[in-house]
Amino acid sequence: MSTTGITVLPDGGLKSPGPGLIPLDPVHTALLRGLDTLLTRLAGRLGAPEVVGPPLLPAEGLTKLDYFRNFPQLGVSAGGFTPEALDVLADGGPPSGLPLRPTGYLLPSATCYGLLLSLEGRDVGDEGLRLSATGRCFRNETHYDALRRLWGFHMREVLYLGTKDGAVEHLDQGAEFVQETAALLGLELTRAAADDPFYDKGGSRARLMALDPVKHEFSAPDGTAIASVNRHRNFFGERLDIRAGSHGPAYSACVAFGVERWVHAMILAHGSPEQALEILSAAGI
């Protein structure tokens, strides 16, 4: 412990307890918090209040959204050890291979799912609705790669539900904000269409997407996608019976930011976490 009251980490810093599990030291944490604060400015511009989504998602609800058709490999199930397994663990046995009792819930893989499921059967009115949230998200990936690809990470989203024109406007404003923020932070990003639909890949909606992409990603020079704009059309409105007043099933769209990936992009651009933090501070954060 130093005389200034600031904790000094051991040599080598904080150790990762496993693949895709990276603890953040004080500088990286300051970058993460500061970047998330900066990214919330989009919510402020659009009048999107801050909310906290649910920590778990019901598998039954995700089934309505074709989740297990499109992203079955990403799902991380929430389970509990059986009484027999708990006895083995209490005796010091290894946890691997022990039976689990399914709960019917999954950890979120994207922040918007919990918000959308929380609005099932609601009417957002003719004027529509915007919400903003940062959620801890989890994905069962084929491999993990430092801050670029993690088992668990923070995702900031600004979600819109309302009219078709409102959804387009939301994404236009979001894309403008991404590029403006990148310029403020000295980041060079490229924009490209992505190909992960929110619906059955074999259906007519998927064929339509090939002609009219609904997701665009913004990537750092090393190819890391750090933000995206996502146009869902009225898919969630129809599946979850979310209405937009006299306009019928709500159209929805979201602007999403992988906050740890923004940390990665800042370090890539500026050479070190300390220099990246100075740039962030100069941006008024």
Side-chain angles (χ1 to χ4, degrees):
M1 191 77 68
S2 73
T3 57
T4 60
I6 300 175
T7 300
V8 177
L9 297 179
D11 291 342
L14 300 174
K15 182 179 179 180
S16 169
L21 305 173
I22 298 181
L24 301 183
D25 62 26
V27 177
H28 285 81
T29 298
L31 264 174
L32 182 87
R33 301 301 184 203
L35 283 165
D36 188 53
T37 298
L38 180 58
L39 298 176
T40 60
R41 289 182 180 178
L42 175 60
R45 285 187 186 183
L46 299 177
E50 186 80 5
V51 298
V52 177
L56 295 173
L57 305 177
E60 182 180 358
L62 291 174
T63 298
K64 297 178 183 179
L65 308 180
D66 289 345
Y67 182 87
F68 298 105
R69 290 176 181 263
N70 292 303
F71 313 113
Q73 76 284 0
L74 296 182
V76 180
S77 178
F81 287 110
T82 64
E84 296 78 15
L86 291 174
D87 290 339
V88 174
L89 292 171
D91 290 336
S96 59
L98 292 177
L100 292 173
R101 182 171 47 204
T103 64
Y105 290 85
L106 279 76
L107 278 67
S109 60
T111 300
C112 66
Y113 284 124
L115 304 183
L116 290 162
L117 289 171
S118 300
L119 290 167
E120 184 172 11
R122 304 295 194 194
D123 191 333
V124 299
D126 289 336
E127 298 301 318
L129 172 71
R130 286 184 172 90
L131 298 173
S132 181
T134 293
R136 196 71 179 263
C137 298
F138 302 85
R139 294 181 181 178
N140 183 36
E141 302 277 14
T142 57
H143 70 283
Y144 299 100
D145 182 11
L147 293 177
R148 298 180 62 184
R149 193 176 294 273
L150 291 162
W151 186 279
F153 57 95
H154 294 82
M155 181 185 293
R156 160 69 60 181
E157 292 201 42
V158 183
L159 174 68
Y160 169 84
L161 296 104
T163 66
K164 181 178 181 179
D165 289 343
V168 172
E169 182 182 12
H170 182 76
L171 295 188
D172 286 344
Q173 292 175 312
E176 181 181 346
F177 175 84
V178 171
Q179 296 287 26
E180 177 185 309
T181 304
L184 180 67
L185 298 175
L187 302 178
E188 295 183 4
L189 303 181
T190 57
R191 177 175 177 168
D195 61 355
D196 52 342
F198 285 93
Y199 36 71
D200 182 1
K201 293 180 180 179
S204 60
R205 292 177 183 270
R207 291 192 292 272
L208 176 60
M209 182 181 171
L211 301 175
D212 181 19
V214 298
K215 177 175 181 176
H216 286 82
E217 292 180 330
F218 297 84
S219 299
D222 68 346
T224 302
I226 68 172
S228 64
V229 290
N230 307 271
R231 181 162 53 95
H232 313 144
R233 299 194 174 93
N234 59 355
F235 174 75
F236 291 122
E238 290 180 343
R239 290 294 179 92
L240 296 176
D241 187 29
I242 304 172
R243 301 172 302 282
S246 61
H247 299 281
Y251 281 72
S252 61
C254 71
V255 186
F257 308 92
V259 190
E260 280 87 351
R261 289 187 171 195
W262 278 77
V263 173
H264 164 79
M266 287 288 288
I267 297 171
L268 180 69
H270 303 298
S272 72
E274 291 77 12
Q275 289 177 313
L277 192 56
E278 288 185 10
I279 296 295
L280 187 61
S281 297
I285 302 298

